[in-house]
Amino acid sequence: MTAPLTGLRVLDLATLFAGPLAATMLGDFGAEVIKVEHPRKPDPSRGHGPSKDGVGLWWKLLGRNKRTITLDLSKDGGRGTLLRLAASSDVIIENFRPGTLEKWRLGWAELSAANPRLVLARVTGFGQFGPYAHRPGFGTLAEAMSGFAAITGEPDTPPTLPPFGLADSIAGLATAYAVMTALAARDRTADGHGQVIDMAIIEPILTVLGPQPLWYDQLGHVQPRLGNRSQNNAPRNTYRTADGSWVAVSTSAQSVAERVLRLVGRPELTTEPWFATGVDRARHADELDEAVGAWIARHSRSEVIDAFEKAEAAVAPIQDVREVMADPQYAALDTITTVDDPELGPLRMQNVLFRLTETPGGIRWAGRPHGADTDTVLTELGLTAAEITALRAEGAL
């Protein structure tokens, strides 16, 4: 079956991690993604985290479904080649500091002149304007600024940052959505003109944090750090089982909270006046945690999960990656799929983000070596062998 984004061409000029992830999401559903890297400074994700036989594994995930070429955009030859590529592309994703493309004479004026239908997604830490626009921006700073770190961790411990690229990943997904929105707008306008997307990494994470600004605006309420608890419902926590494992329990729904307390042998608590709402239950979290935690501590993890499932109460095991890779639900969904790679052999990695019944996405290949497709892509673009040689002599490739 033809993937839904077949025929869409995306130039991925970005690095670390939001912009490239957006391009990956588009490539997963059929877009032709051309990854443009500096000839002498590859995307740093190639060197992030563990590697095997000198090959970065993070890149194998982030670079999947992308052809890779090298261009030095600061060189005249690199600039000219990018403009030629832009003329036949639909989307460019970049994450240089504001003003960098303009310095190379590759700003919106030049790119849209080369291709009026182009959509340019500009992904930066703080956006294209404002007092912080020219600061170096990383997802860690967004996690700090947005309020995420302030509410994460135990009440009496320091604010906690996530041990992975949370803000970058959220911004990557948001950028893919923004690209599709801009393309839909382009295709519905009479002139078919593209536009610029200004994606600030500090913003999408603030959106997913929920109504904190609204609470503060209307009530002066500042959400505190509560560890694994919630100020909206209880019991909601992680609990240790008799065999030393951990489980997570959630009772966002009133009916589920009642089932949990009946299951653990404390039905009398459900008749307390304060049990009737999640907020009031949260004020009695100590009492509820003691009731649930004591029962769970007397049973093994498998016993807890079986009992909760029979009671139609919400529970999940706390799994590390080893257990994720063996989990039967993930296996049924093919969430972790196998990709054959010419460098490393079979690779198991996350599958595409969602399933479509009629036009599914797929992983055609894992991340390719630096510049592996340069000659092929430029030849397809119409450059002669002599022109490609001249670009290399200039240092543009």
Side-chain angles (χ1 to χ4, degrees), residues 72-86:
D72 184 343
L73 303 181
S74 68
K75 305 283 188 183
D76 287 342
R79 173 184 180 274
T81 303
L82 184 74
L83 288 173
R84 290 180 67 169
L85 282 167

Side-chain angles (χ1 to χ4, degrees), residues 328-352:
Q329 182 60 33
Y330 283 133
L333 297 174
D334 195 29
T335 305
I336 305 296
T337 196
T338 300
V339 180
D340 287 324
D341 181 69
E343 287 186 288
L344 298 178
L347 304 174
R348 297 178 70 197
M349 65 173 66
Q350 298 95 316
N351 208 339
V352 300

Side-chain angles (χ1 to χ4, degrees), residues 96-183:
F96 301 107
R97 285 200 214 180
T100 301
L101 283 184
E102 285 75 10
K103 178 181 68 176
W104 295 331
R105 293 177 294 126
L106 287 169
W108 178 237
E110 292 86 357
L111 291 171
S112 61
N115 181 358
R117 291 177 55 79
L118 189 69
V119 168
L120 174 62
R122 315 195 77 168
V123 185
T124 57
F126 305 105
Q128 295 294 311
F129 57 91
Y132 304 163
H134 291 277
R135 291 182 181 178
F138 297 100
T140 298
L141 308 186
E143 290 146 11
M145 283 184 59
S146 63
F148 172 85
I151 65 169
T152 304
E154 296 296 330
D156 57 350
T157 61
T160 300
L161 295 167
F164 65 101
L166 177 63
D168 273 310
S169 298
I170 296 170
L173 297 174
T175 301
Y177 166 62
V179 166
M180 298 311 300
T181 301
L183 290 172

